[in-house]
Amino acid sequence: MSLIMLKDIKMPQEFVTPPKLSAAELEKDSSLFDQACECIKAHKALLIAHYYTAPVIQRLAEATGGFIGDSLEMARVGKESPLSTILVAGVRFMGETAKILSPEKTILMPDLSAECSLDLCCKASELKRVKAEHPNATVVAYANTSAEVKALSDWIVTSSLAVELADYLKGRGEEILWLPDRHLGSYIANNAKTDVYCWPGRCIVHDSFEAAAIKKMKEQYPETKLLVHPESSAEVVALADCVGSTSQLLAFAKKDDAKSYIVATEHGIFYKMQQACPEKTFIEAAIGPRSGVKLEDAACPWMGLNSLSKLIECLESEGEARKSHEIHVPEDVRVAALKPLDRMLAFAAAIKSGNVPNNL
Ligand code: 13P
Ligand code: SF4
């Protein structure tokens, strides 16, 4: 197997990220908790939050009968909900996925400028060009992409399914063009033992985890296990006791018998980890500077845009103001993107049932 990194891909060299809220701003925002609860109930909305959102947003989802999960579970829950207003607290591709799957529902987000660096690394125009250079490849796109990129892809996957899908495609003798995360691409190639043409994009948070510093942490706390999201570099993945999606890391922490863990993923996950395992200790993995952006800690700056004040503003918005909160996907793009997304959901269901047909 080998990883063939695609060359000459046009991508941003630097990422402009929104500023972090100060401690005082966060405290002020938290005081809106009861108002936000009332607002969600009054609008009969379902709040679906990603594990990386702030603890106060996750508490709000819990208090209002909403849902907290990884990106695959968010997609599934939004589609299956009987409610017609879905409020997605996460980043924009998560809202777009909800809209693609449920066009009849109103999909709202606190802040539509919640980007994802992976999404920013892969423009549809660039993918069209690369596809033309690899006409026989099966295009497998990570869920962290725009609706336009999804519409050009044969499959969508989330991190929880990526290796299984690569294995499946290898069994069918298909050549994989993977995008946009370089580290997840390398993880797939290594684990499914298959050739992967790989887009060189990166998540600014996971790319910042520093293998040498984490190795020192492991030496310092030898009893501690290391949990790693596969958007981290191969050097960090090689040190891990468990590699997986946010849900898979959480499930491992719950069933495993260690008392403490170093966690190499976005630190919003600590809320659910600590809640599920109150007796265990979770420590943030060390990060270092990377070209293009410098983070203070393992916090996704775009996830941080999901505040209670914006969430209330979003639900109460009307007319022009609604435009900066509601997700719209052009119908031709939506229909084209639905196909690979439905395939992903069918593949996930087949894996769960233990019977994966060869013709998905
Ligand atoms: P999950 O699919 O594990 O939820 O990850 C989404 C994401 O944005 C990781 O950075
Ligand atoms: Fe994107 Fe990384 Fe933020 Fe996840 S943590 S939403 S991959 S930038």
Side-chain angles (χ1 to χ4, degrees), residues 48-51 67-79 86 88-91 94-95 97-98 101:
I48 299 182
H50 191 267
Y51 287 124
F67 178 80
I68 306 158
D70 71 9
S71 48
L72 175 63
E73 295 160 342
M74 288 171 79
R76 224 189 261 132
V77 168
K79 181 178 150 98
I86 309 287
V88 177
V91 292
M94 295 170 179
T97 300
L101 293 170

Side-chain angles (χ1 to χ4, degrees), residues 50-52 69-72 91 93-94 116 118 142 144 158-160 203 206 229 231 244-247 265-266 303:
H50 191 267
Y51 287 124
Y52 294 165
D70 71 9
S71 48
L72 175 63
V91 292
F93 79 82
M94 295 170 179
C116 164
L118 286 171
Y142 194 26
N144 300 36
T158 63
S159 53
S160 58
C203 157
H206 291 87
H229 193 286
E231 287 171 16
S245 75
T246 43
S247 281
T265 192
E266 212 273 358
M303 285 281 178

Side-chain angles (χ1 to χ4, degrees), residues 140-331:
V140 183
Y142 194 26
N144 300 36
T145 45
S146 66
E148 288 76 16
V149 165
K150 287 185 173 74
L152 294 169
S153 304
D154 298 302
W155 286 89
I156 309 297
V157 273
T158 63
S159 53
S160 58
L161 292 171
V163 173
E164 282 93 339
L165 180 65
D167 224 17
Y168 176 72
L169 296 177
K170 182 175 102 173
R172 298 203 309 197
E174 295 180 37
E175 191 176 80
I176 297 175
L177 168 56
W178 163 260
L179 54 101
D181 186 29
R182 66 176 87 181
H183 297 314
L184 194 46
S186 136
Y187 182 69
I188 292 167
N190 284 334
N191 284 276
K193 305 210 173 352
T194 189
D195 291 340
V196 172
Y197 288 98
C198 184
W199 204 272
R202 65 203 170 95
C203 157
I204 57 169
V205 179
H206 291 87
D207 188 48
S208 298
F209 290 115
E210 196 63 77
I214 294 175
K215 214 169 169 182
K216 279 199 189 124
M217 288 176 83
K218 284 190 75 169
E219 285 160 11
Q220 201 180 345
Y221 310 105
E223 305 291 307
T224 300
K225 288 191 181 166
L226 175 65
L227 310 179
V228 175
H229 193 286
E231 287 171 16
S232 312
S233 72
E235 293 74 26
V236 174
V237 164
L239 301 171
D241 295 287
C242 172
V243 183
S245 75
T246 43
S247 281
Q248 289 165 340
L249 297 180
L250 184 59
F252 181 87
K254 281 186 199 169
K255 72 168 181 357
D256 186 60
D257 56 10
K259 290 195 170 46
S260 60
Y261 301 86
I262 299 168
V263 182
T265 192
E266 212 273 358
H267 72 186
I269 190 78
F270 279 66
Y271 173 73
K272 274 286 170 197
M273 283 187 169
Q274 205 64 76
Q275 185 187 61
C277 315
E279 75 293 353
K280 297 187 178 187
T281 304
F282 297 98
I283 308 162
E284 286 191 36
I287 60 167
R290 285 287 177 280
S291 60
V293 76
K294 188 174 179 306
L295 300 176
E296 280 165 39
D297 51 17
C300 174
W302 296 293
M303 285 281 178
L305 289 171
N306 294 282
S307 63
L308 294 182
S309 63
K310 285 189 191 159
L311 192 143
I312 295 168
E313 177 190 297
C314 156
L315 283 172
E316 291 183 345
S317 62
E318 286 174 8
E320 266 304 295
R322 194 31 87 91
K323 285 191 183 150
S324 49
H325 295 290
E326 184 167 355
I327 294 276
H328 293 285
V329 176
E331 188 57 11

